[in-house]
């Protein structure tokens, strides 16, 4: 360890925040880098997937031909896959796109693509194995189930610490950075770019973290329980369907990405088999009912699972959650059993729905799309430039090169209150912070080799 490092003061907020910023990066950078890259893939899914699977997703509209009825296309799917259960149908997103049927097979879920003009099955895909499907699984749980979800949530909590400490370092260190740039110091330009980029991205990062927390398995689940106890919810609870519900939309369409967040937990009512004498509704009936009632297109129609099921017509409100709406259509006679949409959401669910639309880069059209793209690229730059700065200044010998500092909590009660409040608001942050402090006290400070390696202030 150099004399400069040995002489570096341990007290003071700047070095303490720099140290926490440094150590938080070991957890945050790998996870945030994955989230940024997979977020970009998901953002461009409508451009990427039709190119990667053009033989399934793209069709040519023959001159003079109109699309076959959806019921006829459904029949083609059932003939091609007699052992599969058709779960839903999604209308083509344009005249050159295929109709998509989601089916359940003994081997798992698949998306089946049908040429709407010729009514023939083009093939099928496992939605979780496509590029965007894999990106979604990585983005949500690192393909590691519940534990992957916890890792992402912990990293998100510490990303808040990185953003807050980063802002402090940016503003407090601006004079020193300018002096180093003027002197032509090694790495000064990269450090300035890292700081300026972080200052622009920090607020957006905080927003994305907060808007993504409702998805998490620990914080999201626990706060939803608290919200329910207070008579509200993160998502909708359709009171019109509670008389005899069979499932929720999420349960009806377990692998679908066309169910709006706010409607996912809404209850699905039942049809009455005693009404068989009436005319039998079809997928086309459900689409027509949806059109008459002003649902946005392309619609997704969830098919009845049994004799008591209903057709659930889901309006495609991609850019405006305020137009999210679902109609449940009786399979006997085609009457609307229940209607539920954004206007019926509790206030908290409305806020969450709008936040998630912004999070996914779709709320404000192309502006939101390109801002999110630039943001993700900026996050990738931050994830690369941070380790590169450390690599350039790392010391030679048996030391990690961590900044030396100790939080002056006794001298700054407001900081102590902020840390405790953050730990209570984000329990996984509090648990991991406590674990880090215990590790610091029991091992790092007591073992000379570790104390030297981690540059621990006594």
């Amino acid at each position: 360890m150099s004399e400069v490092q040995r002489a570096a003061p341990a007290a003071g907020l700047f070095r303490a925040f720099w140290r926490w910023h440094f150590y938080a990066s070991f957890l945050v950078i790998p996870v945030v880098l994955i989230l940024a890259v997979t977020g970009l893939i998901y953002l461009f899914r409508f451009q990427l997937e039709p190119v990667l699977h053009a033989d399934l997703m793209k069709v040519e509209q023959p001159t003079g031909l109109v699309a076959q009825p959806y019921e006829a296309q459904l029949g083609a799917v059932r003939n091609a896959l007699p052992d599969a259960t058709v779960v839903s149908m999604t209308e083509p997103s344009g005249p050159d796109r295929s109709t998509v049927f989601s089916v359940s097979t003994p081997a798992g879920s698949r998306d089946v693509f049908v040429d709407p003009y010729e009514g023939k099955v083009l093939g099928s895909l496992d939605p979780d194995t496509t590029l965007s499907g894999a990106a979604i699984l990585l983005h949500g749980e690192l393909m590691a189930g519940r534990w992957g979800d916890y890792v992402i949530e912990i990293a998100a909590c510490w990303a808040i610490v990185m953003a807050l400490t980063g802002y402090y370092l940016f503003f407090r260190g601006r004079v020193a950075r300018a002096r180093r740039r003027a002197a032509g110091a090694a790495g000064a330009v990269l450090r300035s770019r890292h700081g300026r980029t972080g200052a622009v991205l920090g607020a957006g990062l905080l927003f994305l973290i907060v808007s993504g927390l409702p998805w998490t398995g620990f914080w999201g689940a626990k706060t939803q329980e608290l919200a329910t106890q207070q008579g509200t919810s993160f998502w909708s609870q359709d009171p019109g369907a509670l008389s005899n519900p069979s499932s929720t939309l999420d349960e009806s369409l377990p692998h679908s990405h066309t169910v709006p967040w706010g409607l996912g937990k809404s209850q699905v009512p039942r049809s009455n088999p005693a009404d068989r004498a009436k005319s039998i509704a079809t997928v086309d009936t459900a689409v027509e009912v949806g059109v008459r009632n002003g649902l946005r297109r392309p619609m997704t129609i969830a098919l009845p699972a049994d004799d008591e099921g209903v057709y659930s017509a889901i309006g495609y409100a991609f850019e405006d959650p305020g137009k999210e709406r679902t109609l449940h259509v009786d399979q006997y006679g085609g009457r609307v059993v229940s209607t539920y949409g954004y206007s019926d959401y509790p206030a908290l669910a409305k806020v969450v729905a709008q936040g998630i639309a912004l999070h996914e880069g779709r709320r404000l059209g192309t502006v939101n799309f390109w801002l999110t793209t630039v943001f993700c690229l900026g996050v990738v730059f931050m994830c690369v430039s941070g380790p590169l700065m450390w690599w350039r200044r790392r010391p030679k010998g048996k030391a990690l090169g961590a900044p030396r500092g100790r939080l002056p909590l006794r001298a700054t009660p407001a900081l102590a209150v902020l840390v405790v409040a953050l730990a209570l608001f984000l329990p996984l942050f509090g648990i991991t912070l406590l674990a880090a402090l215990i590790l610091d006290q029991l091992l790092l400070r007591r073992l000379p080799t570790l104390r030297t390696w981690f540059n621990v202030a006594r």
Side-chain angles (χ1 to χ4, degrees), residues 86-117:
V86 183
V87 176
S88 70
M89 181 279 296
T90 299
E91 293 186 286
S93 58
D96 62 340
R97 296 300 168 87
S98 53
T99 308
V100 184
F101 290 84
S102 177
V103 305
S104 177
T105 73
S109 296
R110 297 192 72 80
D111 285 342
V112 181
F113 301 87
V114 177
D115 185 324
Y117 305 106

Side-chain angles (χ1 to χ4, degrees), residues 121-249:
V121 174
L122 301 174
S124 67
L125 286 172
D126 181 342
D128 290 337
T129 60
T130 62
L131 180 62
S132 59
I136 291 169
L137 292 176
L138 273 171
H139 197 87
E141 55 186 36
L142 301 178
M143 291 188 177
R146 181 180 63 178
W147 293 105
D149 181 88
Y150 288 163
V151 169
I152 289 178
E153 185 172 343
I154 291 170
C157 295
W158 281 96
I160 294 176
V161 174
M162 280 197 71
L164 296 178
T165 55
Y167 272 121
Y168 183 88
L169 297 175
F170 176 76
F171 288 109
R172 279 293 305 271
R174 63 188 184 280
V175 175
R177 286 195 305 276
R179 191 182 302 121
R180 286 175 59 83
R181 280 200 314 274
V189 173
L190 181 61
R191 180 172 292 188
S192 291
R193 289 175 178 170
H194 180 89
R196 289 171 180 171
T197 305
V200 174
L201 298 182
L205 181 63
L206 289 172
F207 168 77
L208 285 180
I209 292 169
V210 173
S211 61
L213 282 175
W215 270 306
T216 57
F218 186 85
W219 190 93
K222 294 300 180 184
T223 48
Q224 169 60 22
E225 289 178 10
L226 292 174
T228 302
Q229 293 171 7
Q230 301 302 315
T232 185
S233 175
F234 279 170
W235 43 70
S236 67
Q237 302 283 336
D238 184 356
L242 293 179
S243 57
N244 191 17
S246 59
S247 64
T248 64
L249 274 183

Side-chain angles (χ1 to χ4, degrees), residues 70-421:
Y70 291 124
E71 193 68 17
Q73 298 179 49
L74 173 61
V77 173
R78 285 174 170 160
N79 288 334
L81 299 166
D83 295 330
T85 299
V86 183
V87 176
S88 70
M89 181 279 296
T90 299
E91 293 186 286
S93 58
D96 62 340
R97 296 300 168 87
S98 53
T99 308
V100 184
F101 290 84
S102 177
V103 305
S104 177
T105 73
S109 296
R110 297 192 72 80
D111 285 342
V112 181
F113 301 87
V114 177
D115 185 324
Y117 305 106
E118 297 186 6
K120 86 177 171 182
V121 174
L122 301 174
S124 67
L125 286 172
D126 181 342
D128 290 337
T129 60
T130 62
L131 180 62
S132 59
I136 291 169
L137 292 176
L138 273 171
H139 197 87
E141 55 186 36
L142 301 178
M143 291 188 177
R146 181 180 63 178
W147 293 105
D149 181 88
Y150 288 163
V151 169
I152 289 178
E153 185 172 343
I154 291 170
C157 295
W158 281 96
I160 294 176
V161 174
M162 280 197 71
L164 296 178
T165 55
Y167 272 121
Y168 183 88
L169 297 175
F170 176 76
F171 288 109
R172 279 293 305 271
R174 63 188 184 280
V175 175
R177 286 195 305 276
R179 191 182 302 121
R180 286 175 59 83
R181 280 200 314 274
V189 173
L190 181 61
R191 180 172 292 188
S192 291
R193 289 175 178 170
H194 180 89
R196 289 171 180 171
T197 305
V200 174
L201 298 182
L205 181 63
L206 289 172
F207 168 77
L208 285 180
I209 292 169
V210 173
S211 61
L213 282 175
W215 270 306
T216 57
F218 186 85
W219 190 93
K222 294 300 180 184
T223 48
Q224 169 60 22
E225 289 178 10
L226 292 174
T228 302
Q229 293 171 7
Q230 301 302 315
T232 185
S233 175
F234 279 170
W235 43 70
S236 67
Q237 302 283 336
D238 184 356
L242 293 179
S243 57
N244 191 17
S246 59
S247 64
T248 64
L249 274 183
D250 274 349
E251 292 168 342
S252 299
L253 302 171
H255 291 273
S256 174
H257 303 300
T258 58
V259 178
W261 165 271
L263 291 169
K265 301 301 180 184
S266 61
Q267 302 289 331
V268 177
R270 292 180 180 270
S271 298
N272 186 358
D275 294 334
R276 289 178 187 274
K278 298 179 181 178
S279 61
I280 304 297
T282 66
V283 180
D284 297 279
T285 306
V287 171
E288 179 59 31
V289 171
V291 171
R292 287 204 308 264
N293 284 272
L295 260 61
R296 299 284 292 272
R297 304 181 80 172
M299 281 180 258
T300 292
I301 309 297
L303 275 61
D306 52 34
D307 290 345
E308 294 184 342
V310 295
Y311 289 97
S312 297
I314 305 168
Y316 188 75
F318 184 74
E319 294 181 357
D320 186 2
K323 292 183 171 60
E324 292 176 358
R325 201 154 154 254
T326 292
L327 301 179
H328 300 295
V329 181
D330 194 315
Q331 65 172 301
Y332 309 109
R335 71 182 179 88
V336 176
V337 180
S338 175
T339 304
Y340 200 70
Y342 183 87
S343 60
D344 305 301
Y345 292 4
L348 183 59
K350 290 181 178 179
V351 172
V352 172
Q354 294 288 349
I356 285 174
L358 286 169
H359 183 105
E360 293 185 340
R362 56 184 171 85
R363 178 62 183 92
L364 304 174
T366 55
V367 173
N368 199 172
F369 178 89
W370 288 113
L371 282 177
T372 305
T373 299
V374 172
F375 178 86
C376 289
L377 293 174
V379 170
V380 172
F381 169 76
M382 295 292 290
C383 291
V384 173
S385 60
L388 185 57
M389 288 191 301
W390 165 78
W391 183 259
R392 287 181 172 180
R393 70 169 184 81
R394 75 192 190 286
K396 295 181 180 180
K398 298 180 179 180
L400 181 63
R404 197 179 198 200
R406 185 171 58 245
L407 282 176
L409 295 179
R410 293 182 181 178
T412 51
L415 178 61
V417 171
L418 176 62
V419 171
V420 172

